[in-house]
Amino acid sequence: MKTYKIGVMGGDGTGPEVTVEAVKVMEAACAKFGFKVEQTEYDFGGERYKRTGETLPDSAISEFKKQDAILLGAIGHPDVAPGILEKGILLKARFALDQYINLRPVRLFPGVETPLKGKGPKEIDYVVVRENSGDIYTGSGGLMMKDTPHEVATQTAVYTRFQVDRCLKYAFEYARKHGKKARGVGEENTLGLVGKTNVLTFLYDLWERAFHEMGKKDYPDIRRDYYHVDATCMWMVKSPEWFDVLVTGNLFGDIITDLGAITQGGMGIAAGGNINPEGVSMFEPIGGSAPKYTGKGVINPLAAICAMQMMLETLGEQTAAERIDVAVRFVTANKLKSLAAKQMGYTTSEVGDMVAELVAE
Ligand code: IPM
Ligand code: MN
């Protein structure tokens, strides 16, 4: 029987509550579809940092490298200054495991309310491929003459051709396999580059040249579009149905996927994968640790369940992943009153039970 080694890092706040539900659904899928999972739990997060001063040690990275995938709950603690856990745990894992893709679907599920007037699941159905290893996230910078009137702050965005090319290759391949034509819901598979070539004339010039070169040579079957990032925000609200697969740099990808998440019903449902196509990937709900709801059993676990669903899909458990997708859609369409914490009409574990039972059926 195929066995996967999965590292589960619940993290802070409500993170552990939602990963428990995701694991519950995963176990139902194991029983139903005939594969096995060996879990290892990791307690890295704010509490451990407060106790020991440790964020994510190198020994943990070595252990992560032995797993087939990692499931993450949430990172962020109200008593820890911003940046410490984010950089020390989340970004450290992304960079150390070279998870150079951040795959973030923007899909409105049936029965879910979107703030976009007149739009439904048919219109809100695209994917953002966010580059996850470079940009302003890893560039050089610093403060000079701090706390003087002459203080200077710099933080540089850096992209190498290598980083851009490997991300574009993933995005083109993804568009070919999962684009709107491939899924039978559109005429073409389209990859849209999101940039800012009118101002970032070095950074996105590199992206744009690389994009068209690769597209012309290796992916003539895929339609290529280009959008400035600011206009993209506008179209994400006005005409999301235009989009199929979007690819962009790390910072723009961070920003536009929060906008995307709210159009798909918010943090209760938005999930993403930090993917190293040749290595160990890490899947996470996009929402935060929601400390005020910790331990109350009111947080929505569907985003974590969707993250786990993406994990199984990436591992190659296609049938199980499809079954979980159908189950989640059934629950949003027929059961939940709202996706928001406290307003679901069910507790966190009841939602997990419903999805697990549907998967097991
Ligand atoms: C995200 C988050 C992170 C990011 C932060 C917490 C470092 O906003 O996953 O989108 O900027 O990538
Ligand atoms: Mn973000």
Side-chain angles (χ1 to χ4, degrees):
M1 198 185 275
K2 184 105 186 107
T3 304
Y4 301 101
K5 288 200 229 103
I6 305 295
V8 180
M9 180 160 62
D12 298 320
T14 54
E17 294 167 50
V18 296
T19 50
V20 163
E21 301 310 314
V23 167
K24 189 190 278 176
V25 175
M26 181 171 73
E27 278 167 354
C30 285
K32 176 81 185 177
F33 297 99
F35 59 94
K36 256 175 73 181
V37 165
E38 267 169 30
Q39 276 179 66
T40 311
E41 290 199 28
Y42 297 98
D43 70 346
F44 301 107
E47 289 300 327
R48 175 151 170 169
Y49 172 74
K50 276 174 51 189
R51 248 182 7 250
T52 67
E54 192 170 61
T55 48
L56 188 64
D58 293 340
S59 59
I61 298 291
S62 316
E63 282 205 34
F64 284 5
K65 286 185 178 160
K66 295 184 207 142
Q67 306 289 335
D68 291 304
I70 311 285
L71 182 68
L72 170 65
I75 294 296
H77 195 292
D79 305 340
V80 181
I84 294 178
L85 302 172
E86 291 85 344
K87 285 191 167 176
I89 300 179
L90 185 61
L91 295 181
K92 178 159 179 182
R94 285 179 185 171
F95 296 142
L97 299 170
D98 203 16
Q99 294 161 339
Y100 61 87
I101 298 296
N102 197 326
L103 188 66
R104 296 190 161 180
V106 181
R107 296 221 162 99
L108 181 67
F109 284 178
V112 175
E113 208 180 316
T114 171
L116 302 188
K117 193 171 145 209
K119 305 294 179 189
K122 212 167 144 278
E123 286 78 25
I124 303 172
D125 181 15
Y126 58 97
V127 177
V128 178
V129 177
R130 165 185 172 188
E131 202 290 329
N132 212 29
S133 73
D135 205 344
I136 206 155
Y137 277 70
T138 46
S140 61
L143 292 167
M144 288 177 282
M145 294 172 277
K146 194 173 172 188
D147 293 327
T148 76
H150 302 285
E151 189 166 354
V152 180
T154 58
Q155 200 138 14
T156 312
V158 177
Y159 263 120
T160 66
R161 179 73 189 232
F162 170 79
Q163 287 174 319
V164 171
D165 275 341
R166 68 180 181 175
C167 175
L168 289 172
K169 177 162 184 267
Y170 181 92
F172 275 118
E173 292 288 340
Y174 190 90
R176 188 177 268 169
K177 232 173 128 187
H178 305 283
K180 286 194 166 166
K181 184 176 178 202
R183 288 187 289 124
V185 295
E187 309 268 282
E188 311 179 271
N189 294 327
T190 307
L191 181 63
L193 172 65
V194 175
K196 188 75 186 168
T197 53
N198 52 349
V199 176
L200 303 182
T201 49
F202 308 130
L203 210 59
Y204 279 96
D205 176 72
L206 170 57
W207 273 89
E208 199 181 30
R209 277 183 290 111
F211 177 63
H212 290 300
E213 261 173 50
M214 187 180 289
K216 249 183 232 154
K217 184 166 163 288
D218 299 329
Y219 303 94
D221 52 311
I222 293 165
R223 179 194 151 116
R224 296 190 300 278
D225 283 340
Y226 170 81
Y227 310 97
H228 291 323
V229 64
D230 45 355
T232 304
C233 292
M234 198 170 73
W235 298 123
M236 282 171 73
V237 172
K238 193 165 183 291
S239 309
E241 63 276 11
W242 285 3
F243 298 134
D244 185 355
V245 181
L246 296 176
V247 62
T248 189
N250 206 344
L251 181 63
F252 291 167
D254 175 44
I255 297 167
I256 69 171
T257 53
D258 263 30
L259 175 56
I262 202 68
T263 68
Q264 69 180 119
M267 294 308 181
I269 195 86
N274 301 281
I275 295 176
N276 177 341
E278 299 88 35
V280 181
S281 301
M282 178 172 75
F283 299 83
E284 53 172 335
I286 296 183
S289 57
K292 68 176 175 188
Y293 295 129
T294 306
K296 299 201 158 66
V298 296
I299 197 89
N300 189 344
L302 287 181
I305 292 170
C306 289
M308 190 275 304
Q309 189 267 354
M310 290 179 78
M311 181 177 88
L312 292 183
E313 186 163 47
T314 309
L315 289 171
E317 291 298 331
Q318 205 53 47
T319 323
E322 270 161 33
R323 179 64 159 254
I324 296 166
D325 186 62
V326 170
V328 170
R329 284 169 193 268
F330 183 86
V331 167
T332 61
N334 302 297
K335 301 287 182 185
L336 298 196
K337 283 201 213 113
S338 158
L339 294 183
K342 276 170 55 184
Q343 294 162 39
M344 298 187 290
Y346 297 91
T347 65
T348 304
S349 69
E350 283 170 346
V351 175
D353 288 343
M354 280 191 285
V355 179
E357 277 160 30
L358 286 162
V359 169
E361 243 171 39

